[in-house]
Amino acid sequence: QRFSVKILTILVFIFFTNGVNAKSDSYASDFFGVSIDIPTMKANKIQEVQEIADFFLPSVDLFSANVGIQKQYFKGTMIDYNELSLSQFRKAGWRVVDAKNLLNESFWEYVGSMLGYDLHWYSRAVKKDNYVYLVTATALSSKWDSQKDILRKSVNSFKIK
């Protein structure tokens, strides 16, 4: 079972370090010399939240900094989404370090504790039609300074095709 977890971690890392060929719903890495079909299914109804992908950096201090992408059904405006997000941060006891709101996207940087870890997050939300694509980087607060550049670059590179 540990071997399976290691293989999965390697595949996710490979996925992070390169890219996805969205036209064929497959992933290929010339660097690692591998390819795999991405398991996808067409939903029968609107999904409130759909995990699209998670990418991980190598583990440091028993935690793997990561970037996750979600597609969330949301009919409201980005102003509504921003207010909802900020209220959720407050409820969780997290402190917002920085926030920027544009017409169809928002950025937040925030810190707090979760599951016994002191964490630092950087999120970007992009609205298209009745969906918000939420891209979030998560790292240990103690490692943020050494990992923030690669995590922010990943989050900021997100595009809707």
Side-chain angles (χ1 to χ4, degrees), residues 47-132:
Q47 290 183 283
E48 295 295 321
V49 177
Q50 180 177 357
E51 294 289 335
I52 295 176
D54 290 300
F55 311 106
F56 297 86
L57 293 178
S59 180
V60 176
D61 293 341
L62 303 175
F63 185 88
S64 293
N66 59 83
V67 173
I69 305 169
Q70 291 183 347
K71 181 180 179 182
Q72 303 175 353
Y73 182 73
F74 190 79
K75 283 181 124 178
T77 66
M78 276 308 290
I79 292 169
D80 299 331
Y81 190 84
N82 184 56
E83 289 173 4
L84 175 65
S85 297
L86 291 173
S87 73
Q88 290 173 333
F89 299 158
R90 281 190 296 272
K91 267 187 198 173
W94 301 338
R95 181 176 57 85
V96 175
V97 175
D98 194 19
K100 182 166 97 173
N101 302 297
L102 305 171
L103 181 61
N104 287 316
E105 67 182 313
S106 293
F107 297 83
W108 308 278
E109 188 170 333
Y110 47 106
V111 294
S113 294
M114 178 188 274
L115 302 173
Y117 291 102
D118 289 329
L119 299 174
H120 196 120
W121 293 273
Y122 176 71
S123 294
R124 177 178 175 210
V126 181
K127 178 113 167 88
K128 182 175 180 188
D129 302 323
N130 286 328
Y131 290 93
V132 171

